[in-house]
Amino acid sequence: MKRYCKEVDILSGEHLHEAYEAFARGKRSREEFAAFFEKSEEEVFAKVRSMVEGRRLDLPEITYFERIEPTNGKRRTIGRECGMQQFLDYVCVVALEPLFGAKVGYHQCASVRGKGQKHARRYIERWVRNPSMRYYVKIDINKYYPNVDRRALFAMLERDVANEDLVWLVEALVSTHDRGINIGSYLSQFLANYYLSGAFRYACGLSRERRSRRTGEVSRQKLVDHVLTYMDDWIFVARDKANLKSAVRKVERYLSKVLSATIKPWKVRRIDCEPVDMVGYVFRRDRTTIRPAIFLRARRAIMRANRSRCVLPHQAARVIAYWGYFKVTACRGFRDKHRLGALVAECRRIVAACARREMRHAEGPQLGAVA
């Protein structure tokens, strides 16, 4: 079995500098990281080497807080890590990139560059509009992050990663989490996809023997035509209802036996009767619309910006964030009625001007010091 990350030296200056640059992007001006960036790179790197070589993490405890999702009311426990621990997350993720690239499936979306909401929307839309696809099943893993089996995760890492320092650091960081893996950790989102990669490949490979009544020839038939995951949300699309139900039951048993994960109740749905609600969109045969809860929040943000005499930067940022939904869905009447294109252009100018001001403010003291 091929193993990964053999040649990676996580304590080398080159690797630590690459992780430091990735971590520092967009964080230098944030107050919560001020204490971390007061130290020089050499001090930070020396502390990392000391912790890894001594096999002992010297980090403050993670602080936890509850967040209620505005669109669905779900309560999530988020962990806030210190700056050093977040930097160590980046050290691990940069080192594990070859592993994630090899193991994570093509349709495992979220936390993978180029495979986010847009990727999921494009493929689900294509499958739903294919008239030969008739049925689908959506499953959701129950409390996924807190219920990740660390023993199974660590066994996978030790099997696939041939780098003692890296394996120790990942296991040590995950062990600081309260339960399972921490929702607020940069490392956790990548480990979450990796943890489910075996189940994803298993689902894609499910098949059964089919014997032709006329010729007697035996062939293999896939139980499910398409599988896509968006973190712990799965969708299975198929032509045949019985095969689809069989496939989902097999995946449910695999998740329970191998990964100690349980899924919420599910049922087979017909695409023509019940549209697919996933990744923030509602997919029908003839059109794609925005999920109602998201549309209402987006409409509220757009109306407030339209009513304002002067659009504030945070209002402009919200409008721009929601613009992506309206570009790719059947909302032309709404866009034209509220002149959304012109509003978004104005919001972009406001956000760009605000960013330039912040950049000049950040560079001002440095220029003064040089003078």
Side-chain angles (χ1 to χ4, degrees):
M1 181 179 290
K2 184 174 180 180
R3 304 183 76 197
Y4 300 87
C5 310
K6 297 177 185 177
E7 308 299 327
V8 178
D9 181 6
I10 62 171
L11 301 182
S12 68
E14 182 181 356
H15 178 82
L16 291 173
H17 179 72
E18 182 182 355
Y20 188 89
E21 289 300 313
F23 169 70
R25 200 169 297 125
K27 297 185 180 71
R28 292 183 185 274
S29 60
R30 288 167 58 178
E31 187 177 346
E32 60 193 288
F33 295 106
F36 178 85
F37 288 112
E38 282 177 0
K39 301 173 185 175
S40 65
E41 282 191 34
E42 290 72 20
E43 288 180 80
V44 173
F45 296 171
K47 185 171 182 181
V48 172
R49 293 188 181 104
S50 172
M51 287 190 288
V52 174
E53 290 169 355
R55 294 293 191 263
R56 183 176 177 275
L57 289 182
D58 180 19
L59 300 169
E61 287 188 4
I62 300 171
T63 57
Y64 293 91
F65 63 94
E66 278 203 346
R67 182 176 186 272
I68 300 175
E69 292 290 340
T71 55
N72 54 29
K74 288 183 180 179
R75 288 180 174 271
R76 302 189 189 278
T77 302
I78 313 294
R80 185 183 289 115
E81 301 175 343
C82 68
M84 176 58 78
Q85 183 157 352
Q86 292 187 46
F87 170 60
L88 290 173
D89 284 349
Y90 276 80
V91 171
C92 293
V93 170
V94 172
L96 290 169
E97 280 178 357
L99 173 70
F100 296 145
K103 294 292 184 180
V104 175
Y106 182 71
H107 288 311
Q108 278 189 269
C109 305
S111 83
V112 180
R113 187 179 294 276
K115 292 184 187 177
Q117 205 173 19
K118 181 180 177 181
H119 176 97
R121 177 194 57 78
R122 184 167 67 246
Y123 280 94
I124 295 173
E125 194 172 67
R126 182 184 302 176
W127 301 335
V128 167
R129 294 185 182 184
N130 182 349
S132 64
M133 298 296 112
R134 301 170 63 197
Y135 302 97
Y136 77 94
V137 170
K138 265 189 67 181
I139 65 172
D140 182 12
I141 298 176
N142 190 36
K143 299 287 184 183
Y144 175 49
Y145 272 64
N147 290 330
V148 167
D149 186 346
R150 291 183 187 173
R151 287 178 298 179
L153 175 62
F154 294 166
M156 291 170 62
L157 288 167
E158 290 163 10
R159 179 196 67 196
D160 293 332
V161 179
N163 188 317
E164 288 185 10
D165 286 345
L166 179 55
V167 171
W168 176 85
L169 183 56
V170 173
E171 292 182 356
L173 289 171
V174 172
S175 297
T176 64
H177 302 170
D178 187 29
R179 284 182 56 203
I181 54 178
N182 176 23
I183 293 179
S185 166
Y186 179 69
L187 174 63
S188 291
Q189 58 185 326
F190 294 92
L191 292 179
N193 260 343
Y194 167 67
Y195 187 67
L196 291 177
S197 59
F200 177 81
R201 291 194 299 274
Y202 174 78
C204 292
L206 287 172
S207 62
R208 69 178 181 90
E209 284 189 357
R210 181 178 181 182
R211 185 181 297 274
S212 172
R213 292 181 180 179
R214 185 170 60 85
T215 64
E217 183 182 353
V218 177
S219 61
R220 302 296 300 182
Q221 180 186 28
K222 292 185 69 175
L223 293 184
V224 61
D225 292 277
H226 304 291
V227 184
L228 183 141
T229 73
Y230 193 77
M231 199 52 72
D232 61 328
D233 291 330
W234 294 54
I235 182 169
F236 301 80
V237 183
R239 295 175 172 86
D240 186 87
K241 183 177 182 178
N243 285 348
L244 176 59
K245 189 179 291 188
S246 173
V248 177
R249 284 174 177 163
K250 288 176 184 290
V251 171
E252 185 174 16
R253 286 195 294 269
Y254 180 97
L255 290 170
S256 176
K257 183 179 178 180
V258 179
L259 302 179
S260 303
T262 59
I263 65 175
K264 297 174 183 177
W266 55 272
K267 68 175 184 177
V268 178
R269 304 171 191 268
R270 193 181 178 95
I271 293 175
D272 290 322
C273 300
E274 297 183 69
V276 179
D277 184 340
M278 193 156 176
V279 297
Y281 298 94
V282 179
F283 301 91
R284 295 177 174 84
R285 291 288 195 190
D286 58 341
R287 67 190 185 280
T288 300
T289 56
I290 306 171
R291 181 179 290 164
I294 294 175
F295 177 80
L296 290 175
R297 291 175 62 81
R299 180 180 177 276
R300 192 180 303 127
I302 290 164
M303 298 297 287
R304 283 174 179 170
N306 273 328
R307 286 196 301 265
S308 299
R309 291 188 177 182
C310 178
V311 180
L312 300 175
H314 75 274
Q315 291 177 317
R318 288 196 63 178
V319 171
I320 294 169
Y322 284 120
W323 169 236
Y325 286 102
F326 290 94
K327 283 197 299 183
V328 295
T329 53
C331 299
R332 184 170 182 178
F334 181 87
R335 292 200 306 264
D336 293 345
K337 179 180 178 181
H338 297 279
R339 300 175 183 175
L340 197 50
L343 176 63
V344 170
E346 177 62 24
C347 289
R348 282 175 173 162
R349 285 194 290 271
I350 291 168
V351 170
C354 185
R356 285 194 296 270
R357 282 198 302 272
E358 288 182 359
M359 192 177 298
R360 284 197 297 269
H361 179 73
E363 292 175 352
Q366 296 176 5
L367 294 172
V370 171

